[in-house]
Amino acid sequence: MISRYRSLLIKLFSEVQRIHSDPFRFASEYLKLQEILITRITYVERQIRQRKTDIKALKRLLGSKTSGLNKSSSQIAKSRVTHYHAQIDEYQELLTILRWVGDALAFSFIDRWDIKPLGLKKESAGFLSGKKGARRERRILRALFSYGFIAILNDLTNCLRYGDITVLDRNGRYHIAEVKSKKKLSERVERQMTEAEHILEYLSSDHTDRLYGLQANVQRVSAHAQPDYHTSQINEVIADALARGNSYREVESGLYYFATTGFDPEVVRQISQQCKGKMIAALVEPQAYSELVYYPLTLSLNNPEALYLLCAGKLTIVVMVDSGVIKEKLEVNAISLEAIGEGEDYALSVRCLHPVDNQPVEMKVGNHLFQRVFAEFLSLDWIVQYIVSFMKIDAIAKMAAG
């Protein structure tokens, strides 16, 4: 199905990359792109609703004792049910990709580290169409642009889960608006507004007593250095793969990028043979960006055609990490790599080899942080130095990061 939308997706990917550099300069295009997304998402949602209606009708027919269906007709009906379910899955995937474009609009004016609290562990957007107050939201969105603001309809994204519209002014401040048609607010709406105010307070003060549904005293602190991303290297590997079929590169010690238009297991074997320890590998695929609020590939990958090929399953990208290199780099700093999490809430567990006051100093690196190496092409060495910098703080007995 994705192939039917090739020209549309390439056009959207190209346009959002052009707008990204200066949203205020391209304010009219920023709004126009949202209008296109509204139209396309509404159409896809209508197709999903129709398939669900067709499935219900067929199941009623199959379950009826008076339908008069013979064995052959029953098989045809069952095949149609299976086909419609497959189509729904494909349309859902298309919705994720379209909202992936909306994510790129959001990341154009909100820092990637600020967006994480705005979307992580919040329910995904429901259907855009058929929603009460949807027309009112769109009128307000257009009015905001007429007054010189940049704004985005949150339901057009995978990442913005507080409120209905997020607004940015020219001073770099952003605001979350709840749009309701009734004058009297329900308890649910009041709770949503309070939650939005709370998360904005956290982003401005770096402190909160609850986050991601948990009651906890959380203090956000600065990292040891500005994050380092290998976006130019991944784009070079992709360009080489599109020209030759396969390409891989060790972009830094222990970190490999592999791209292919026809998966060759021999390349993976060659890389694994170079590794000093267990190889940690992950596919770069759109689904992760809809659930975990990462910087979207629509901005990291600069070739719209390559983005389309990735969505259509015609391009495979794999990021691989040599755990042996992580171990070596940590040991130089008197830190041991204790465990690599598999299906846990953490990715790495480390321990200081020379504990303070005879107490072991431990740290667990959260999955969400470590997965940025695979999803955002974050430097592996930056992650290692992040761990080292925190372990050097003597007062820390245990710290979770992520």
Side-chain angles (χ1 to χ4, degrees):
M1 179 182 291
I2 298 297
S3 60
R4 288 165 44 195
Y5 295 89
R6 178 182 178 277
S7 59
L8 169 67
L9 292 176
I10 290 176
K11 177 183 177 182
L12 292 176
F13 295 156
S14 300
E15 187 67 3
V16 79
Q17 289 180 356
R18 186 175 70 88
I19 293 169
H20 169 69
S21 60
D22 192 346
F24 278 103
R25 178 186 173 193
F26 299 111
S28 60
E29 290 94 335
Y30 196 102
L31 176 59
K32 182 179 178 182
L33 192 54
Q34 291 185 70
E35 301 280 14
I36 294 172
L37 287 176
I38 290 169
T39 300
R40 294 296 180 172
I41 288 174
T42 298
Y43 170 79
V44 173
E45 289 175 348
R46 188 162 59 246
Q47 300 307 307
I48 292 174
R49 285 194 181 96
Q50 183 59 56
R51 299 305 182 276
K52 288 182 177 180
T53 299
D54 292 341
I55 289 171
K56 287 182 180 179
L58 285 169
K59 285 186 173 181
R60 281 197 302 269
L61 184 64
L62 287 165
S64 173
K65 294 180 180 180
T66 59
S67 64
L69 290 178
N70 57 31
K71 186 176 181 180
S72 176
S73 297
S74 294
Q75 283 299 115
I76 292 173
K78 289 176 182 178
S79 295
R80 285 181 179 174
V81 169
T82 301
H83 177 64
Y84 289 149
H85 276 300
Q87 284 191 324
I88 289 172
D89 289 342
E90 291 173 345
Y91 277 124
Q92 292 285 10
E93 183 181 1
L94 181 57
L95 281 181
T96 295
I97 295 170
L98 291 172
R99 287 196 169 96
W100 205 16
V101 176
D103 289 340
L105 292 175
F107 278 89
S108 293
F109 65 76
I110 303 177
D111 181 84
R112 70 176 80 194
W113 298 88
D114 279 359
I115 282 190
K116 174 188 169 184
L118 292 173
L120 191 63
K121 296 193 176 181
K122 291 284 287 180
E123 290 183 8
S124 59
F127 273 13
L128 176 69
S129 56
K131 175 182 170 184
K132 287 184 178 180
R135 291 184 179 180
R136 182 180 175 87
E137 288 178 13
R138 294 168 203 173
R139 285 199 301 269
I140 292 174
L141 178 73
R142 294 164 189 140
L144 285 166
F145 277 87
S146 69
Y147 285 109
F149 293 96
I150 288 290
I152 185 166
L153 200 62
N154 292 351
D155 282 347
L156 297 179
T157 76
N158 297 298
C159 64
L160 300 178
R161 301 273 49 88
Y162 286 89
D164 299 309
I165 299 175
T166 301
V167 189
L168 178 79
D169 63 29
R170 290 186 179 273
N171 294 317
R173 297 181 298 242
Y174 50 90
H175 316 270
I176 298 172
E178 286 276 359
V179 179
K180 302 301 171 188
S181 55
K182 296 181 179 179
K183 293 183 179 179
K184 186 177 180 180
L185 301 179
S186 66
E187 290 184 6
R188 177 174 174 272
V189 173
E190 289 182 345
R191 184 175 66 254
Q192 289 174 335
M193 293 176 67
T194 300
E195 288 177 349
E197 291 170 359
H198 181 85
I199 203 69
L200 287 178
E201 174 61 26
Y202 165 64
L203 292 174
S204 64
S205 68
D206 294 325
H207 178 266
T208 183
D209 58 1
R210 60 186 183 277
L211 189 65
Y212 309 135
L214 300 174
Q215 296 286 336
N217 189 32
V218 179
Q219 179 67 52
R220 191 165 64 157
V221 298
S222 299
H224 65 286
Q226 284 291 324
D228 183 21
Y229 301 95
H230 295 307
T231 49
S232 60
Q233 289 91 331
I234 188 60
N235 280 291
E236 289 169 4
V237 169
I238 290 170
D240 194 33
L242 293 178
R244 301 193 300 115
N246 288 289
S247 178
Y248 82 89
R249 181 180 303 181
E250 186 176 14
V251 295
E252 65 177 63
S253 179
L255 178 61
Y256 300 85
Y257 293 163
F258 170 43
T260 177
T261 56
F263 192 77
D264 184 356
E266 178 61 22
V267 177
V268 178
R269 189 184 68 81
Q270 291 174 9
I271 296 172
S272 64
Q273 287 180 338
Q274 299 177 45
C275 291
K276 300 175 181 179
K278 177 183 177 182
M279 183 176 72
I280 308 169
L283 284 171
V284 177
E285 51 187 358
Q287 288 84 344
Y289 299 82
S290 66
E291 299 170 358
L292 296 176
V293 204
Y294 289 126
Y295 195 74
L297 289 179
T298 31
L299 296 180
S300 291
L301 306 189
N302 57 27
N303 183 344
E305 175 71 24
L307 276 165
Y308 161 73
L309 292 173
L310 181 69
C311 294
K314 298 177 181 179
L315 173 67
T316 301
I317 303 171
V318 187
V319 176
M320 289 163 276
V321 169
D322 181 356
S323 63
V325 171
I326 299 177
K327 186 173 184 292
E328 285 185 351
K329 289 182 176 182
L330 290 173
E331 286 177 347
V332 170
N333 292 277
I335 300 169
S336 66
L337 176 61
E338 296 291 298
I340 300 171
E342 294 184 4
E344 304 287 342
D345 291 334
Y346 68 91
L348 304 174
S349 177
V350 302
R351 180 185 296 268
C352 181
L353 295 175
H354 304 295
V356 178
D357 298 328
N358 297 318
Q359 293 297 316
V361 177
E362 299 177 348
M363 178 180 181
K364 293 188 184 299
V365 180
N367 269 319
H368 194 276
L369 175 62
F370 188 68
Q371 288 297 323
R372 289 181 188 265
V373 172
F374 306 95
E376 297 188 349
F377 313 107
L378 179 64
S379 163
L380 179 64
D381 190 60
W382 186 91
I383 290 285
V384 171
Q385 294 307 315
Y386 174 87
I387 295 170
V388 171
S389 68
F390 271 81
M391 296 294 278
K392 285 182 178 178
I393 302 175
D394 293 345
I396 295 178
K398 183 180 285 187
M399 176 170 289

